[in-house]
Amino acid sequence: MERSTFVYDGDCAFCTRCAEFIERRIPTGARVVPWQFSDLDALGLTADECEEAVQWVGADGSRAAGPDAIAKLLAASGPLWRVAGAGLRFPPVRAAAWPAYRWVARNRHRLPGGTAACALPQEARERLYGPAGRPTTGA
């Protein structure tokens, strides 16, 4: 793989807003892509892993999830962001980051930019909205 990849849930408005922030404000050479439009097999990821947390797949094949993935993304970014990434890897901060990340993941539909679809597992979203994200019509 020639570039590192940061994978997020493109069906979640909160996650998409965060990804848009990354693309606008964080200078990184990593690709920032929704898992629904990614070749998960090529990345060595599963849909379940991507539904559970953001994912990082380094150009070297290294992998990380959740706040560890965010730390890797920041470490691969501009100088100030690298400091934030190092801070996120500091053991006491990392120990607090995981519970905080899990809380945000469970409540993302309630956060600014979140929608009710953020709370649905992928299978339920596809049943309601179809694989392309549009509502299915009864036939």
Side-chain angles (χ1 to χ4, degrees):
M1 182 182 316
E2 59 192 54
R3 284 174 72 189
S4 297
T5 304
F6 184 81
V7 183
Y8 68 95
D9 184 352
D11 282 341
C12 174
F14 176 75
C15 301
T16 299
R17 296 277 181 175
C18 292
E20 289 169 353
F21 176 85
I22 291 167
E23 290 175 332
R24 277 193 323 269
R25 305 280 186 213
I26 300 178
T28 181
R31 294 181 314 133
V32 178
V33 296
W35 72 262
Q36 293 85 350
F37 298 104
S38 300
D39 183 351
L40 296 182
D41 289 335
L43 293 170
L45 298 171
T46 67
D48 288 341
E49 289 171 322
C50 294
E51 281 189 5
E52 186 176 317
V54 295
Q55 302 290 321
W56 171 266
V57 180
D60 62 356
S62 63
R63 291 184 39 190
D68 295 336
I70 296 166
K72 293 270 191 182
L73 171 79
L74 295 173
S77 301
L80 290 176
W81 294 106
R82 278 187 232 133
V83 172
L88 194 50
R89 288 188 309 274
F90 186 60
V93 174
R94 185 174 184 268
W98 269 104
Y101 182 88
R102 287 185 187 107
W103 183 89
V104 168
R106 277 192 316 273
N107 294 284
R108 61 191 177 169
H109 61 287
R110 294 183 180 113
L111 298 173
T115 64
C118 297
L120 298 174
Q122 181 64 21
E123 182 180 305
R125 284 190 295 243
E126 286 183 2
R127 196 170 44 254
L128 290 171
Y129 301 107
R134 290 184 290 278
T136 57
T137 57

